């Protein structure tokens, strides 16, 4: 996983992103796609450890206002070029934690990305 730009890895990641796009946004995986990374972060192949894969939309945050009307001073009138204070990884962890209320999020790692989404696996 160090040489992500090699021909073989580029091909594998392209196939995987296509496969993950066809699946639901949050879904459970039978096994981690990056075993060494998952084990580094605390995953063990035994009862009680599950892996969920989640996709998060890439790009900045858009202010949710109707027709871009923010009502106020011009300094607060921005709609498009906003930066969210937390990363996509923590956003992915939060979503899985919300769906799986009976489980606890241990850690997560990047799996792949395309132009629209980033994919993470949550332990």
């Amino acid at each position: 996983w160090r040489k992500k730009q090699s021909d073989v890895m580029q091909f594998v990641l392209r196939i995987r992103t296509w496969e993950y796009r066809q699946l639901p946004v949050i879904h459970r995986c039978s096994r981690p796609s990056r075993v060494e990374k998952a084990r580094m972060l605390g995953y063990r192949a035994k009862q009680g450890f599950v892996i969920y894969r989640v996709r998060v939309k890439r790009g900045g945050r858009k202010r949710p206002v109707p027709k871009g009307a923010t009502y106020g001073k011009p300094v607060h009138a921005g709609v498009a070029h906003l930066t969210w204070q937390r990363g996509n990884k923590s956003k992915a962890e939060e979503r899985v934690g919300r769906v799986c209320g009976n489980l606890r999020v241990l850690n997560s790692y990047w799996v792949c990305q395309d132009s629209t989404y980033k994919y993470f696996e949550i332990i």
Side-chain angles (χ1 to χ4, degrees):
W1 280 87
R2 294 192 198 289
K3 301 191 170 82
K4 296 183 187 74
Q5 290 193 324
S6 67
D7 292 344
V8 175
M9 277 306 287
Q10 278 185 333
F11 177 74
V12 168
L13 289 174
R14 190 161 63 238
I15 298 298
R16 276 194 186 158
T17 48
W18 177 86
E19 187 188 346
Y20 297 162
R21 264 199 306 272
Q22 315 310 313
L23 296 166
V25 176
I26 299 172
H27 57 275
R28 187 173 165 186
C29 329
S30 54
R31 63 187 74 246
S33 55
R34 297 177 63 182
V35 179
E36 77 298 334
K37 187 69 174 174
R39 284 180 59 81
M40 255 190 272
L41 297 175
Y43 172 79
R44 296 291 176 264
K46 61 183 195 179
Q47 212 171 18
F49 285 87
V50 293
I51 299 279
Y52 275 84
R53 195 178 297 117
V54 59
R55 71 170 179 248
V56 180
K57 203 117 164 132
R58 295 178 67 180
R61 179 178 180 272
K62 190 168 182 285
R63 197 189 302 275
V65 288
K67 297 180 186 169
T70 53
Y71 302 114
K73 307 281 184 189
V75 68
H76 299 301
V79 174
H81 301 285
L82 306 174
T83 309
W84 205 48
Q85 291 304 306
R86 283 159 48 207
N88 281 337
K89 187 172 168 235
S90 84
K91 195 189 293 187
E93 288 175 4
E94 183 189 341
R95 286 185 187 169
V96 171
R98 211 180 294 140
V99 168
C100 311
N102 59 332
L103 302 173
R104 273 188 263 173
V105 171
L106 178 63
N107 223 320
S108 65
Y109 53 91
W110 175 92
V111 181
C112 59
Q113 65 189 38
D114 56 16
S115 59
T116 318
Y117 300 106
K118 277 195 178 197
Y119 298 89
F120 296 95
E121 284 186 357
I122 289 54
I123 306 165

